[in-house]
Amino acid sequence: MTLPRAPSFRLDGRRALVTGGTRGIGLGAAVALAEAGAAVTIAARTAVDVETVVNDMAHAGFVAEGVALDITDIEAVRAFVSEVEPFQVLVNSAGTARHSGFGDITPAGYQAVMDLNLSATLFVSQAVVAKMIVAELPGSVIHISSQMGHVGGPDRALYAASKFAVEGLSKAMAIELGPYNIRVNTICPTFIETELTAKNLSDPAFRSWVLSKIKLGRLGRIEDIMGPIVFLASDAAALVTGASLMVDGGWTAE
C-alpha cells in the first residue's frame, strides 16, 4: 500500500505581499508567512512603521522588505507592483472601521471605510493577480474579512456592509481565477485584541457582550490568525478556494 503524504505548509521560494503589515493582524500575517519561508514585502502608509517592522523581522532572521504605500492610491499601487517581481501570495489586511448607529453614518465615513476595506482590496488584488497570470504562477489571495461579513451587529452597519462586499468579491474572484490556479479565500476573525479594537473592548459592557457571543469564551489573539494564514497560503490548501475560514470562536455557529 502506498500511503498518502501530507502536503507541505512551507512557503520557501514564494514572494508574499501583506498590506497593513505593520500592526495587528497584518503584522501577524507577515511574521507567519516569513516563518513558513516566504520572502515577505510589507506595505503600509507610514514609512517609519514599515522600516521598524522590516528591521525587527530581519533581526529575527526573516526575509522581509517594505514599501511605504497608500493602497487607496490605485495608480501608486499599480506602479509599485509593475516594478517588482510577481508575488504568489497576497494578504489584504489593511482595513478600517467607523462604528456608529445606522442613522449616524455619514458620506465621508462611508467613503473612508469603503475606499480601504473594499476598493483597495479589489484594486491591489487586480494588480497583483495580473502579474501572476502573465508569469503563469499559481497563487493564493487571502482577504482579511470578518465575522461581520456573515452576521450583523449593533453599530456595525457600515463595517458589515464593507465585509459582506469583500465576501462576495472573494467568491467571484475565485470563480474567475480558478482556471489560472489562483485561489482566493477570506479569513473571518472575531474580535481580536489589537490597537483597532482596544477602545471598544475597554468598555466593560461591550466586552461582556462580545465574550457572551464567543463560544470558546475568550477574545481572539493575533496568534490565532497566523496558522490559518499559512494554511491558506500553502499547498495544504491546494483545493480550497472561494471559502471563508471562520476564526470566530463559534460566534457565527449560532
Side-chain angles (χ1 to χ4, degrees):
M1 174 186 292
T2 302
L3 297 176
R5 299 295 301 274
S8 176
F9 287 80
R10 295 293 305 172
L11 299 169
D12 302 280
R14 301 185 199 185
R15 286 171 43 78
L17 174 64
V18 180
T19 70
T22 58
R23 62 189 65 192
I25 290 173
L27 176 59
V31 173
L33 294 170
E35 285 186 325
V40 177
T41 298
I42 293 167
R45 192 189 302 263
T46 306
V48 172
D49 292 346
V50 171
E51 182 179 4
T52 297
V53 171
V54 168
N55 287 339
D56 287 347
M57 290 182 67
H59 289 153
F62 301 135
V63 179
E65 56 186 22
V67 58
L69 182 65
D70 177 359
I71 63 167
T72 65
D73 184 337
I74 297 169
E75 292 308 316
V77 167
R78 288 173 174 164
F80 164 70
V81 173
S82 71
E83 294 168 358
V84 298
E85 293 298 311
F87 296 103
Q88 285 182 267
V89 178
L90 168 63
V91 179
N92 284 303
S93 182
T96 191
R98 300 208 179 173
H99 300 314
S100 69
F102 168 72
D104 295 323
I105 296 171
T106 65
Y110 170 88
Q111 201 64 55
V113 170
M114 289 299 182
D115 280 351
L116 188 54
N117 290 8
L118 180 60
S119 297
T121 293
L122 190 159
F123 288 110
V124 171
S125 298
Q126 187 184 69
V128 170
V129 163
K131 288 202 73 168
M132 285 185 197
I133 292 173
V134 169
E136 299 182 344
L137 291 171
S140 173
V141 177
I142 304 166
H143 304 313
I144 302 300
S145 181
S146 171
Q147 65 187 18
M148 294 297 171
H150 295 263
V151 296
D155 298 331
R156 295 299 189 277
L158 177 54
Y159 185 72
S162 73
K163 294 303 186 180
F164 267 80
V166 167
E167 292 294 317
L169 171 66
S170 179
K171 292 183 185 303
M173 287 176 62
I175 292 168
E176 289 195 38
L177 299 177
Y180 299 100
N181 199 20
I182 297 171
R183 299 179 294 104
V184 186
N185 297 286
T186 65
I187 290 178
C188 302
T190 187
F191 286 88
I192 306 294
E193 293 186 284
T194 67
E195 293 178 25
L196 185 65
T197 61
K199 182 178 179 180
N200 286 332
L201 291 172
S202 67
D203 178 350
F206 181 78
R207 188 183 186 95
S208 178
W209 173 74
V210 167
L211 289 172
S212 76
K213 301 286 285 184
I214 300 174
K215 305 305 177 284
L216 292 179
R218 69 168 175 85
L219 297 168
R221 297 185 288 264
I222 297 299
E223 292 81 0
D224 293 317
I225 307 300
M226 295 170 76
I229 286 283
V230 173
F231 167 67
L232 289 176
S234 74
D235 293 341
L239 199 61
V240 181
T241 195
S244 304
L245 180 47
M246 309 305 298
V247 188
D248 67 351
W251 185 303
T252 59
E254 181 173 27

